[in-house]
Amino acid sequence: MNFISTRGNVGAIGFIDSILMGLADDGGLLVPAQIPQLSQDTLTQWSKLPYEELAVELFALYMGDDIPRDDLKALVHDSYSTFRDPEVTPVRAIGDREYVLELFHGPTFAFKDIALQFLGNLYGYVSRQRGTVINILGATSGDTGASAIEGVRGKEGIRICILHPNGKVSKVQELQMTTVHDENVLNLSVEGNFDDCQRIIKELFADVEFKQRHHLRAINSINIARILAQTVYYFYAYFQIAKDGRDAKINFSVPTGNFGDIFAGYLAKKMGLPIGKLILATNENNILERFVTEGVYEPGEFRSTHSPSMDIQIASNFERYLYYLYMEDPQAVTELMNRFKTEGRIVIPADKLQTVQADFAAYGVGNDECLDTIGKVKRESDYLLDPHTACGVAASSKRSESGEITVTLATAHPAKFDESIRLTGIEQQFPEQIEALFEKPQYQTLVGGSNAEIAEQLEKFF
Ligand SMILES: *Cc1c(COP(=O)(O)O)cnc(C)c1O
């Protein structure tokens, strides 16, 4: 399978070149040249597979030309045998027609492990195959950094530097990143907020000479490998529920920030999985909710919420969806994105809005509503949601059309966000792996927010 850019000026390139490119060179995002279409027979066969085998089948459709099947099998096994649950992503019922898909059984207790364990191993593989060094540079508001570090720590041929805003990630997130003591890991704790960290990274990547000299690679969610890894669990969850004879259309409610995870669901649907509605759950940063309900994509005012991994105004994967909404027309996407740059908004016409609403529903969940949902589900189902997942469950419960089954993606373990859980009056027991973090020494370098200071640290490290 080849990959092309949503803006039409890159391609067609193979899978490995696509993951190395990250953001497409023409400023667009990489998408598969054609989306594979699955027959009913294939779906039936896939429905019987355990998680790892399902992942290999799906990945082979997109990566088969670049990665021989045995290598793919080994990469998948190395990535998912680190998970604490034998099913990798088990489904649990929390009501008669309400399920959660637990995506937090990886090393850092958040769903990003599913993509980043795989991407870490993939980078290791590419480094060995091509004999090149891979230096990863990224910024995090919490979950991505911890997950990316776990994905590559101790791996030969790879180094990773992660910037996080000093004092502005949750305690557990900070400990997960900074208690790692491998030579190939550097944590920079930056005076400033997440936007400052992201801006620094962007500017360093834009310096082509610096980027090439240091073999810099990205790990953010625009990487196509991350999307593909996340597509697997939509299939897996669907098949588990259908096994109980409930094979009607199944909705998925997805706590959304950068539109990466929900785009993976859209891709699964386009491949032929009979998904009903994709319910886009946001917090008070509701640009995407407004897009689905009104057809206007325009950043609003930034709000800090209990679900910080969704505190996002500009959704970096949204362009991929626009590409399909506009019938894979790169010219149309380029015009829309240019208009967004100059006018700060995109408005779609009524017929396009109808198409959006055929696939998506959307709800923005307020801060109080998020905490109330955590309390309610704990009381009624004895199940503790994290605040991101709670947004998903709250969104799902607003859409109570009779007979529908909805699966909410549980994107993090509640222990990661204890500061917010405590506000509901609930006390939780931490898993032992998280408890143990509080005893470990931390390794991080505190730096100011200037590019020069960061570049100097990188010169030393890389
Ligand atoms: C990253 C993250 C999200 C948002 O995922 P996107 O792919 O950016 O939409 C939701 N919940 C948690 C816990 C996350 O870490």
XYZ file of all heavy atoms in Angstrom, residues 94 98-100 253 255 281 365 373 377 385 388-398 408-409:
168
model
N -21.192 -1.843 31.356
C -21.498 -1.005 32.529
C -22.992 -0.709 32.578
O -23.458 0.074 33.399
C -20.696 0.319 32.550
C -20.929 1.135 31.278
C -19.217 0.068 32.763
C -20.476 2.584 31.412
N -24.709 -0.516 27.394
C -23.559 0.387 27.526
C -22.310 -0.408 27.866
O -22.300 -1.175 28.833
C -23.808 1.374 28.682
C -24.767 2.495 28.371
C -24.129 3.562 27.488
O -22.911 3.794 27.624
O -24.842 4.127 26.658
N -21.303 -0.209 27.071
C -20.040 -0.902 27.323
C -18.908 0.122 27.394
O -19.020 1.219 26.848
C -19.710 -1.858 26.182
C -20.660 -3.025 26.037
C -21.858 -2.886 25.346
C -20.350 -4.279 26.566
C -22.728 -3.956 25.192
C -21.205 -5.356 26.417
C -22.399 -5.190 25.727
O -23.248 -6.257 25.579
N -17.818 -0.276 28.045
C -16.580 0.494 27.886
C -15.514 -0.433 27.313
O -15.483 -1.629 27.607
C -16.046 1.141 29.193
C -16.958 2.241 29.688
C -15.811 0.104 30.267
N -18.518 5.801 21.300
C -18.381 7.142 21.846
C -16.906 7.377 22.173
O -16.299 6.592 22.908
C -19.246 7.291 23.102
O -19.088 8.588 23.631
N -13.855 9.901 23.465
C -13.321 11.142 24.053
C -12.263 11.717 23.108
O -11.271 11.061 22.831
C -12.679 10.667 25.361
C -13.279 9.310 25.632
C -13.578 8.728 24.294
N -17.086 12.943 21.654
C -17.239 13.547 22.975
C -16.117 14.544 23.196
O -14.947 14.203 23.065
C -17.199 12.464 24.050
N -19.076 18.167 26.948
C -19.436 17.845 28.324
C -18.789 18.864 29.267
O -17.572 19.086 29.201
C -18.974 16.410 28.667
C -19.326 16.042 30.096
C -19.603 15.412 27.683
N -20.856 12.470 36.280
C -20.911 11.181 35.580
C -20.022 10.149 36.275
O -20.398 8.986 36.425
C -20.479 11.360 34.106
O -21.300 12.358 33.515
C -20.609 10.060 33.330
N -21.813 6.733 37.714
C -21.448 5.395 37.222
C -20.827 4.564 38.350
O -21.049 3.361 38.447
C -20.508 5.492 35.994
C -19.967 4.135 35.588
C -21.242 6.143 34.824
N -14.694 5.596 36.389
C -14.251 6.166 35.112
C -13.175 7.208 35.350
O -13.215 7.920 36.356
C -15.425 6.875 34.431
C -16.685 6.083 34.131
C -17.804 7.042 33.708
C -16.432 5.056 33.039
N -11.637 11.599 31.270
C -11.771 11.588 29.802
C -12.875 10.611 29.392
O -13.755 10.930 28.607
C -10.443 11.203 29.141
C -9.313 12.104 29.506
N -8.674 12.017 30.727
C -8.714 13.109 28.834
C -7.731 12.946 30.780
N -7.733 13.626 29.649
N -12.793 9.411 29.965
C -13.801 8.393 29.668
C -15.176 8.873 30.118
O -16.190 8.606 29.450
C -13.428 7.079 30.384
O -12.059 6.777 30.103
C -14.307 5.928 29.901
N -15.213 9.612 31.236
C -16.498 10.122 31.735
C -17.144 11.046 30.704
O -18.365 11.037 30.531
C -16.295 10.847 33.068
N -16.348 11.843 30.002
C -16.915 12.678 28.926
C -17.554 11.783 27.868
O -18.630 12.080 27.347
C -15.832 13.554 28.282
S -15.239 14.869 29.360
N -16.888 10.683 27.559
C -17.429 9.748 26.564
C -18.737 9.127 27.018
O -19.700 9.054 26.254
N -18.789 8.714 28.278
C -20.006 8.075 28.791
C -21.140 9.100 28.873
O -22.290 8.809 28.525
C -19.736 7.416 30.166
C -21.036 6.980 30.834
C -18.800 6.220 29.990
N -20.817 10.330 29.304
C -21.847 11.373 29.373
C -22.403 11.653 27.978
O -23.615 11.796 27.789
C -21.268 12.648 29.981
N -21.528 11.720 26.985
C -21.976 11.972 25.602
C -22.853 10.827 25.117
O -23.888 11.041 24.483
C -20.773 12.156 24.681
N -22.448 9.612 25.424
C -23.210 8.451 24.993
C -24.606 8.449 25.617
O -25.603 8.123 24.966
C -22.431 7.185 25.357
O -23.287 6.129 25.632
N -24.700 8.859 26.895
C -25.999 8.783 27.572
C -26.961 9.849 27.060
O -28.173 9.734 27.220
C -25.822 8.910 29.085
O -25.425 10.212 29.395
N -26.443 10.895 26.410
C -27.334 11.905 25.840
C -27.986 11.413 24.568
O -28.933 11.985 24.072
C -26.550 13.177 25.541
C -26.328 13.987 26.774
C -25.691 15.305 26.429
C -25.106 15.920 27.671
N -24.041 16.851 27.378
N -18.132 2.991 24.841
C -17.304 4.181 25.068
C -15.852 3.754 25.204
O -15.538 2.789 25.909
C -17.748 4.915 26.349
O -19.083 5.376 26.171
C -16.839 6.105 26.639
N -14.989 4.461 24.522
C -13.566 4.157 24.630
C -13.037 4.690 25.957
O -13.137 5.896 26.224
C -12.800 4.778 23.450
C -12.714 3.907 22.189
C -14.069 3.394 21.737
C -12.003 4.624 21.076
